[in-house]
Amino acid sequence: MAQPLPEPKSLPSPPNDGITSLQYLPSSSSSSSSLLASTSWDGALRIHDTIAKSHVVTQTMDSGPLLCMAVGTTTTTTSSSSSSGESSGGGGVVYTGGIDGSIKRYDIATSTVTLIGKHSPNIEQADLVNGKKKVAVSCLCTIQNTNWIVSAGWDKKFHIWDVSKCKNIDSEGDAEENGKDGKNTATAAQPVATMDLPGKAFSMDVSLDGTKIVVATSGRRNCFFDIIHQSNQTQEEKDGSTSSSPIEVKLLSDRESSLKYQTRCVKFFPDTKGIAVGSIEGRVAIEYLDDIGIS
C-alpha cells in the first residue's frame, strides 16, 4: 500500500513575487546542507534553513528581477589556488543572474556582493522591451573545481567568466569603485570565452566532469559545447603568451529538440553519456550523445 505524502510545511518570510529558482547550498564534509537558496521576480535572494524552518537572510541584489541562480563553495581565491578552486574562507556563495544582464555573487560568510560580469545589448540581435534591449541573464552554471561560471541569456550570448578577477562592491566602497553619490559604478570583468546562440537561452547544464555544456534555446534548439581547459604552458606553446584565454569552447552540435514544443529544462546524465530534456507540454525525452554524433 502506498505511503501517504508528508504534510507540506511553509517556510517563513517567503518571496513577495514568483520564485524563479531553488537550490540547496553544497553540503560540508561532515553534514548535509539544510540551507535552501531561492531567487524571485522581486529581485531578492533568500536563504532558508529547511530543518529549523527559519529564515536566514534576504539580500537585494539591485539587478531587477532575478531569473536564475547557481551555488558554489568558493569565496575568494588566489592565483595559487585558482586551478583547484579551493576557498580561502568559510561558507558558500550564490551567483545570481538579473534581468538587467548582470551576474553577481553573494558571499554568505561575509555578506558581500561581487559584480562578476554583465551581458551587453546586441544591437543587431536583441529585441526591444519598452525601448530597452533584452539582456537578461536567464541561465547560470558553475564548473566544478574551477573559478569559472557560465552564463547564457536573452541576448543570444553564452559567456564564461573567471570569478577570481572580480572585486566586492558596496555602497561604502572607495572612490574608484563608487561614484560621489555612493551608488555602485564598478566595472564588470570581461568574459574569458564567448559564443553566439541561435536564440534566447531557456535552460543550461554543465556536465559533472566539466567538459561539456548544453544550452536549450528558443526555436527548440539544443546547443552542445566542448570545454577545453588550457594550461599556461599550452598557451605559451600556441601563441608565445600567457595572456590568452585559459579556456577554449567549441560548438559540437546545434540541433533541433526531439520534443514537439519549447524546451523548459535540460540536464546531463551523471556519466555525461546523455541528456534529459523536458518541454512545456509536460513530456521528457532521453537523448544519448553517441546517438546524435557527439563523443
Side-chain angles (χ1 to χ4, degrees), residues 95-227:
Y95 301 93
T96 62
I99 204 167
D100 66 347
S102 65
I103 302 106
K104 294 181 180 180
R105 176 180 62 198
Y106 176 70
D107 190 312
I108 299 171
T110 60
S111 299
T112 54
V113 176
T114 306
L115 179 63
I116 300 300
K118 194 164 186 177
H119 283 230
S120 300
N122 187 309
I123 301 301
E124 297 180 354
Q125 296 181 353
D127 299 323
L128 284 172
V129 177
N130 297 326
K132 297 182 179 180
K133 297 296 180 180
K134 288 184 179 180
V135 294
V137 178
S138 53
C139 305
L140 282 176
C141 290
T142 56
I143 301 179
Q144 290 191 5
N145 302 319
T146 71
N147 285 320
W148 300 327
I149 185 169
V150 187
S151 68
W154 290 357
D155 59 349
K156 306 177 185 179
K157 292 291 185 180
F158 161 93
H159 298 300
I160 298 180
W161 311 85
D162 186 346
V163 301
S164 66
K165 297 181 179 179
C166 305
K167 297 181 179 180
N168 293 340
I169 56 176
D170 55 53
S171 59
E172 297 180 358
D174 56 39
E176 293 182 357
E177 293 294 327
N178 296 278
K180 294 180 180 180
D181 57 359
K183 293 183 179 180
N184 171 50
T185 57
T187 302
Q190 295 300 312
V192 297
T194 297
M195 298 289 285
D196 291 326
L197 298 172
K200 294 193 298 182
F202 289 155
S203 183
M204 178 173 64
D205 194 30
V206 178
S207 61
L208 289 180
D209 60 7
T211 61
K212 290 182 175 60
I213 298 174
V214 58
V215 184
T217 74
S218 57
R220 297 172 48 241
R221 308 300 300 181
N222 290 332
C223 299
F224 293 85
F225 298 95
D226 191 28
I227 308 173

Side-chain angles (χ1 to χ4, degrees), residues 4-282:
L5 294 176
E7 181 182 353
K9 297 182 180 180
S10 299
L11 296 173
S13 303
N16 301 317
D17 208 332
I19 296 174
T20 55
S21 59
L22 284 170
Q23 193 168 353
Y24 276 100
L25 298 180
S27 58
S28 65
S29 58
S30 59
S31 63
S32 60
S33 174
S34 62
L35 297 181
L36 178 68
S38 64
T39 56
S40 169
W41 278 92
D42 65 6
L45 165 69
R46 289 173 175 82
I47 298 177
H48 290 83
D49 189 324
T50 57
I51 293 180
K53 298 180 179 60
S54 62
H55 171 254
V56 178
V57 67
T58 294
Q59 175 68 44
T60 301
M61 302 301 287
D62 295 323
S63 302
L66 301 178
L67 303 186
C68 57
M69 169 183 62
V71 299
T73 55
T74 58
T75 50
T76 54
T77 56
T78 61
S79 58
S80 61
S81 64
S82 60
S83 61
S84 64
E86 294 179 354
S87 171
S88 61
V93 293
V94 181
Y95 301 93
T96 62
I99 204 167
D100 66 347
S102 65
I103 302 106
K104 294 181 180 180
R105 176 180 62 198
Y106 176 70
D107 190 312
I108 299 171
T110 60
S111 299
T112 54
V113 176
T114 306
L115 179 63
I116 300 300
K118 194 164 186 177
H119 283 230
S120 300
N122 187 309
I123 301 301
E124 297 180 354
Q125 296 181 353
D127 299 323
L128 284 172
V129 177
N130 297 326
K132 297 182 179 180
K133 297 296 180 180
K134 288 184 179 180
V135 294
V137 178
S138 53
C139 305
L140 282 176
C141 290
T142 56
I143 301 179
Q144 290 191 5
N145 302 319
T146 71
N147 285 320
W148 300 327
I149 185 169
V150 187
S151 68
W154 290 357
D155 59 349
K156 306 177 185 179
K157 292 291 185 180
F158 161 93
H159 298 300
I160 298 180
W161 311 85
D162 186 346
V163 301
S164 66
K165 297 181 179 179
C166 305
K167 297 181 179 180
N168 293 340
I169 56 176
D170 55 53
S171 59
E172 297 180 358
D174 56 39
E176 293 182 357
E177 293 294 327
N178 296 278
K180 294 180 180 180
D181 57 359
K183 293 183 179 180
N184 171 50
T185 57
T187 302
Q190 295 300 312
V192 297
T194 297
M195 298 289 285
D196 291 326
L197 298 172
K200 294 193 298 182
F202 289 155
S203 183
M204 178 173 64
D205 194 30
V206 178
S207 61
L208 289 180
D209 60 7
T211 61
K212 290 182 175 60
I213 298 174
V214 58
V215 184
T217 74
S218 57
R220 297 172 48 241
R221 308 300 300 181
N222 290 332
C223 299
F224 293 85
F225 298 95
D226 191 28
I227 308 173
I228 302 173
H229 302 247
Q230 300 187 88
S231 65
N232 286 342
Q233 181 178 2
T234 302
Q235 295 174 54
E236 290 176 354
E237 292 174 354
K238 291 179 63 176
D239 52 28
S241 171
T242 60
S243 62
S244 61
S245 174
I247 190 171
E248 182 181 355
V249 181
K250 292 183 178 180
L251 177 65
L252 297 176
S253 176
D254 175 3
R255 65 189 303 273
E256 190 175 79
S257 170
S258 57
L259 295 175
K260 183 178 180 180
Y261 294 98
Q262 184 60 59
T263 302
R264 179 65 182 85
C265 58
V266 60
K267 285 289 183 181
F268 274 108
F269 291 179
D271 58 7
T272 320
K273 292 183 178 180
I275 60 170
V277 184
S279 74
I280 59 173
E281 63 180 318

